[in-house]
Amino acid sequence: MSETFSAEWLALREPVDHRSRPAELVGRLAEWCARRSRLRVLDLGCGTGSNVRYLAPKLPAVQEWTLLDRDEALLARVEAPVGTSVRPLRGTLEAEGLAEVAGADAVTASALLDLVSDTWLGALADACEKGGCAALFALTYDGTFEWLDGGDPVDAAVRDAVNAHQRRDKGLGPALGPAAARRAEALFGERGYRTWLSASPWVLGPEDAALVRSLIEGWASAAAEQRPEEAARVRAWAERRRAGSTGQHSRLVVGHLDLLALPREG
């Protein structure tokens, strides 16, 4: 997959990611995992290990994590909770990512599914079904972002351009973008899995101004690339939104969805 993320960006978003995740899904996964004395977890596109830092303290059993990412620099910065066994693995989603599912009890990923193709996601669902794996996919962008302190006339145009850009090929074929979480729910449901889909929105205020500014920059860049004829209009939008990002009443909600899929009983 061609998409890359910096360690600085991942560090900036981690606290917001952790506070946004729905506890109910993790609780259901923990109940399923409680049947095992040893739990093997595969984390796809792990970055610096945010997912293991969030999940490991909440799951029972002796845990053995395989953390897969294609970025060796990010893998070198992985920090796992004390007492958690971790195996960093450099590899791609389409090769090692699918192959490693066979050795896992649970597969997880955070902020990943909107970047992958329907073909790859179907192959992942097949691999999980074959291995009887549980799956938990967190913080999949759902195509919505909204400022609650008043709208800008260009907000909708920027959002539409960003969502179109999300569907570009990220290296695995045309990406699912905002449709990814619901498509994953359907694919796992077709394979007999029990599924739960929950909202996990980022609710960002003045204390999150650095993250908001980074989002504005990223959205403006994507929108201008997708609609170059609108670049000047997008730049002016970004300037207005940056100026208001530290206001006392600044509020931005970015929609995400979390999906838990558990194999059918028996």
Side-chain angles (χ1 to χ4, degrees), residues 198-215:
S198 293
S200 50
W202 281 354
V203 181
L204 307 175
E207 68 279 9
D208 304 303
L211 178 59
V212 172
R213 287 193 297 271
S214 185
L215 286 169

Side-chain angles (χ1 to χ4, degrees), residues 220-238:
S221 177
E225 185 176 351
Q226 185 68 24
R227 308 261 172 83
E229 71 280 5
E230 296 286 333
R233 191 172 176 228
V234 169
R235 284 196 298 272
W237 169 87

Side-chain angles (χ1 to χ4, degrees), residues 8 19 25 30 65 85 105 129 138 146-147 181 188 192-193 225:
E8 292 72 25
R19 79 184 189 218
L25 299 194
W65 284 71
S85 173
D105 301 304
E129 180 189 21
E146 180 183 7
W147 273 267
F188 278 88
Y193 274 68
E225 185 176 351

Side-chain angles (χ1 to χ4, degrees), residues 42 44 93 97-101 107-109 112-113 116-131 133-135 137 184 187-188 191 193:
L42 171 63
L44 298 170
L93 293 176
L98 293 177
E100 288 287 326
V101 174
V107 175
T108 187
L112 177 71
L113 293 194
V116 307
S117 67
D118 189 80
T119 299
W120 182 86
L121 188 55
L124 177 63
D126 285 340
C128 288
E129 180 189 21
K130 184 177 180 180
C133 298
F137 304 113
L187 287 169
F188 278 88
R191 288 155 177 78
Y193 274 68

Side-chain angles (χ1 to χ4, degrees), residues 141 143-146 154-167 178 219 223 227 237:
Y141 173 61
T144 64
F145 55 86
E146 180 183 7
V154 187
D155 283 347
V158 170
R159 184 179 61 245
D160 290 347
V162 167
N163 290 345
H165 192 277
Q166 280 280 99
R167 297 184 179 92
W219 288 336
R227 308 261 172 83
W237 169 87

Side-chain angles (χ1 to χ4, degrees), residues 21-22 25 137-140 196-200 256-260:
R21 295 179 64 164
L25 299 194
F137 304 113
L139 297 158
T140 302
W196 294 264
L197 195 65
S198 293
S200 50
H256 298 96
L257 293 167
D258 279 28
L259 173 67
L260 173 66

